Every structure is written in structure tokens, then in C-alpha cells.
Amino acid sequence: MDVSSYVLLSHEQALRRRMDVAANNMANVNTAGFKRETPVFHEYLMEGENARAPENETSYVLDYGTVHDTSAGAFQATGNSLDLMIDGPGYFAVELENGETGYTRAGFLRVLESGDLGTANGAVLLGEGGAPIAVPENAAGQLSVVEDGTVMGPDGPLGRIAVTAFENDGVLAQRGDGIWTGPEGEELAAADTKIRSGGIEGSNVQAIVETTDMIEIMRAYQTSKRIADDLSDMRKRAIDRLGRIN
């Protein structure tokens, strides 16, 4: 296989990666709090025999990872007082099954069997200082959440939901099920916290954008395939001519 084939293979692998990311975005177009991903690639230059000649450098594509679009999704009203959306930056902090702290934008909350406030998938929601918010049994159906994250019961406040922000959201790694993991961030003060109740944050994926991107990827792959076929035909003709000369 010559250099041109390796370059085309590198390009097609990058296209496959782009398609995988776009397909994952499409699959999560209705996932609460999901953040659109974009693949990032890096150019890798390989020097030829004559390192001083730029024309002897071969450019390959390397997968550098993905970045998340941190823009907020649209507010989707549900009428449930325990469905919440963070209006601004930050994440809800939750305690994962392995004891670590995870972060999520999906605001479907409920009272767990333990009596603590938690998420729809059973993770314990963390309040100020990393402590769970305990809900008395007689207050489970009478909860409300005010803008600063304070959880109100029939007899008064039960605690305040912690919202954690990061200087750079790129430090977070997506684990799946709407959870990100990473280093500890900064817990926002009550004055800096804005939470809307009665609805959740929808995905920020736009189906039309992802569909257009997938079409462009398919066309680029088809172009790459045609170039590969042309190169193959050129090799066959060259071999045939050499055979005739010999």
C-alpha cells in the first residue's frame, strides 16, 4: 500500500469518527440535559526522506477527542415541581454508586427510598457542602424548589441544592446516562444560583444540523472512495504497461 492509500485511509477513519459522533448526537436529541458533541482532529505530518523539502511531508489525520457544546437547551415544561432546570452555567452534583461525585444537567428529581432527594436514575442529589437533602416522609408530596435552589417542605426549608460550576467544562468526561465526571468544581452561592422548576432542560442538539452534517460526511466519503478507485485503476494500468514492456 502506497502513501496515497494511507492518507485516504486516515481521512476515511476521521469521517467514520465524525459519523459516529453525529449519530450519537441524533440518538440523544430528546435526552434531557444532553450536550452536543463535536469531534476534534489534529494534523500529523510525517517527513519523507528529504526532511528539508516541504513537498516530501505527508499529512495524516489524528483523532484528538471531542468537545461539548455547553449552550443551554430549551426549557421543557412538565408541571412537576421537582423537575428542574439550571438557568445558566453549572451542574447538579450527585453521589455515584462508587462514592465519587458526578455532575448532571438532567433535572428529573424524586424522593428515593432512603428518604433523600435524588435523580430519576437513583443517584443521591447533593446539597450545600456535599450533604444529601433528607425529606421527611410526610413532606414527600409537598415539595417545591425556589430560584436559589432551596428545597421547601410544608414546615419550611429542608436544604439547598448545590450547583457546581467549572472554569473550563472541558475537564469533564461524559460517563453516560447524562452524567459527567471530573475534578471538583466551585459550588455556586445562593445569590449566583438560578433554578427554574416545573420543567427540565432539553437537549441542545438540533436535528436539522446533525442531518446536514451526516449528509456532508457521506458525500465526503463517496468522494474519497472515488479517489481510491481511480488510484487503483492507475496502478492496474501501470502494472499492465510494465508487463507489456517486459
Side-chain angles (χ1 to χ4, degrees), residues 38-87:
T38 303
V40 178
F41 299 102
H42 181 71
E43 182 184 29
Y44 175 75
L45 292 176
M46 179 174 288
E47 295 180 346
E49 295 180 0
N50 185 0
R52 295 183 178 181
E55 63 271 14
N56 287 336
E57 292 181 339
T58 304
S59 176
Y60 295 94
V61 183
L62 294 182
D63 185 358
Y64 206 66
T66 58
V67 294
H68 294 90
D69 177 2
T70 58
S71 61
F75 180 76
Q76 298 179 352
T78 63
N80 186 340
S81 61
L82 287 184
D83 287 345
L84 309 178
M85 172 181 170
I86 299 174
D87 189 4

Side-chain angles (χ1 to χ4, degrees), residues 217-236:
I217 294 169
M218 284 298 299
R219 289 176 176 171
Y221 184 84
Q222 290 168 353
T223 300
S224 181
K225 179 66 167 58
R226 285 195 297 269
I227 295 174
D229 290 342
D230 291 343
L231 288 173
S232 179
D233 290 340
M234 289 174 60
R235 294 189 196 99
K236 290 178 181 179

Side-chain angles (χ1 to χ4, degrees), residues 142-163:
Q142 306 177 60
L143 300 178
S144 62
V145 180
V146 298
E147 188 180 70
D148 69 355
T150 301
V151 181
M152 303 295 295
D155 299 322
L158 302 176
R160 194 176 74 84
I161 297 172
V163 174

